[in-house]
Protein backbone atom coordinates (compact mmCIF):
# COMPACT_ATOMS: atom_id res chain seq x y z
CA UNK A 1 0.00 0.00 0.00
CA UNK A 2 2.81 2.41 0.84
CA UNK A 3 4.18 2.01 -2.70
CA UNK A 4 1.19 3.96 -3.92
CA UNK A 5 2.55 6.98 -2.06
CA UNK A 6 5.73 6.76 -4.12
CA UNK A 7 3.80 6.57 -7.38
CA UNK A 8 1.60 9.50 -6.36
CA UNK A 9 4.68 11.49 -5.33
CA UNK A 10 6.24 10.88 -8.74
CA UNK A 11 2.98 11.95 -10.38
CA UNK A 12 2.85 15.14 -8.32
CA UNK A 13 6.47 15.87 -9.19
CA UNK A 14 5.73 15.34 -12.87
CA UNK A 15 2.85 17.80 -12.62
CA UNK A 16 5.17 20.33 -11.00
CA UNK A 17 7.64 20.01 -13.88
CA UNK A 18 5.03 20.44 -16.59
CA UNK A 19 2.89 23.23 -15.13
CA UNK A 20 3.17 26.90 -15.99
CA UNK A 21 1.24 28.22 -12.96
CA UNK A 22 3.23 29.16 -9.87
CA UNK A 23 0.47 28.21 -7.47
CA UNK A 24 0.05 24.75 -8.97
CA UNK A 25 3.84 24.34 -9.01
CA UNK A 26 4.06 25.09 -5.29
CA UNK A 27 1.07 22.89 -4.47
CA UNK A 28 2.35 19.92 -6.47
CA UNK A 29 5.85 20.21 -4.98
CA UNK A 30 4.41 20.22 -1.47
CA UNK A 31 2.21 17.25 -2.36
CA UNK A 32 5.22 15.40 -3.80
CA UNK A 33 7.22 16.06 -0.65
CA UNK A 34 4.39 14.95 1.63
CA UNK A 35 3.72 11.80 -0.39
CA UNK A 36 7.43 10.98 -0.47
CA UNK A 37 7.65 11.30 3.31
CA UNK A 38 4.59 9.08 3.69
CA UNK A 39 6.27 6.50 1.46
CA UNK A 40 9.44 6.60 3.60
CA UNK A 41 7.34 6.18 6.75
CA UNK A 42 5.45 3.23 5.26
CA UNK A 43 8.70 1.60 4.22
CA UNK A 44 10.12 2.04 7.72
CA UNK A 45 7.01 0.62 9.38
CA UNK A 46 6.97 -2.36 7.01
CA UNK A 47 10.60 -3.19 7.73
CA UNK A 48 10.95 -2.54 11.43
CA UNK A 49 7.48 -2.76 12.99
CA UNK A 50 7.60 -6.54 13.39
CA UNK A 51 11.08 -6.60 14.87
CA UNK A 52 10.31 -4.56 17.96
CA UNK A 53 10.18 -6.63 21.10
CA UNK A 54 7.27 -6.58 23.43
CA UNK A 55 7.79 -5.63 27.02
CA UNK A 56 7.99 -8.69 29.24
CA UNK A 57 4.97 -9.37 31.39
CA UNK A 58 5.22 -8.98 35.12
CA UNK A 59 5.76 -12.19 37.04
CA UNK A 60 3.37 -13.40 39.68
CA UNK A 61 4.89 -13.39 43.21
CA UNK A 62 4.74 -17.19 43.30
CA UNK A 63 6.73 -17.36 40.06
CA UNK A 64 9.29 -14.94 41.47
CA UNK A 65 9.66 -17.05 44.60
CA UNK A 66 10.13 -20.20 42.49
CA UNK A 67 12.89 -18.46 40.50
CA UNK A 68 14.58 -17.30 43.68
CA UNK A 69 14.50 -20.82 45.07
CA UNK A 70 16.12 -22.13 41.90
CA UNK A 71 18.93 -19.59 42.15
CA UNK A 72 19.75 -20.17 45.81
CA UNK A 73 22.71 -22.48 46.43
CA UNK A 74 21.67 -25.90 47.71
CA UNK A 75 21.79 -26.20 51.45
CA UNK A 76 23.32 -29.48 52.67
CA UNK A 77 20.95 -31.50 54.82
CA UNK A 78 21.38 -30.92 58.51
CA UNK A 79 23.13 -33.82 60.21
CA UNK A 80 22.33 -34.50 63.83
CA UNK A 81 25.23 -33.72 66.12
CA UNK A 82 27.24 -36.80 66.92
CA UNK A 83 27.67 -37.70 70.59
CA UNK A 84 31.04 -36.74 71.94
CA UNK A 85 33.63 -39.47 71.87
CA UNK A 86 34.44 -40.93 75.27
CA UNK A 87 37.64 -39.56 76.63
CA UNK A 88 40.37 -42.02 77.22
CA UNK A 89 42.25 -41.60 80.44
CA UNK A 90 45.90 -42.46 80.44
CA UNK A 91 46.76 -45.42 82.63
CA UNK A 92 47.80 -44.37 86.03
Amino acid sequence: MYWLFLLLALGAFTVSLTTTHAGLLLLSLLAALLLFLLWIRGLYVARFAGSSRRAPRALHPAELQALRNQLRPPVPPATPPSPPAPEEHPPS
Side-chain angles (χ1 to χ4, degrees):
M1 176 69 183
Y2 60 92
W3 290 102
L4 290 176
F5 291 132
L6 180 62
L7 292 175
L8 290 172
L10 289 174
F13 188 68
T14 303
V15 168
S16 70
L17 289 177
T18 58
T19 189
T20 57
H21 300 290
L24 186 58
L25 172 69
L26 181 63
L27 184 66
S28 61
L29 283 176
L30 286 174
L33 177 65
L34 176 70
L35 289 167
F36 182 73
L37 291 175
L38 286 173
W39 173 70
I40 293 293
R41 182 190 172 276
L43 187 65
Y44 174 78
V45 167
R47 292 232 176 137
F48 299 111
S51 65
S52 65
R53 296 181 181 240
R54 291 184 177 178
R57 67 174 181 86
L59 293 178
H60 189 271
E63 292 173 321
L64 281 174
Q65 188 60 39
L67 287 173
R68 286 184 189 123
N69 290 339
Q70 287 178 0
L71 293 175
R72 284 191 185 125
V75 177
T79 57
S82 59
E87 293 183 22
E88 292 184 25
H89 297 288
S92 25

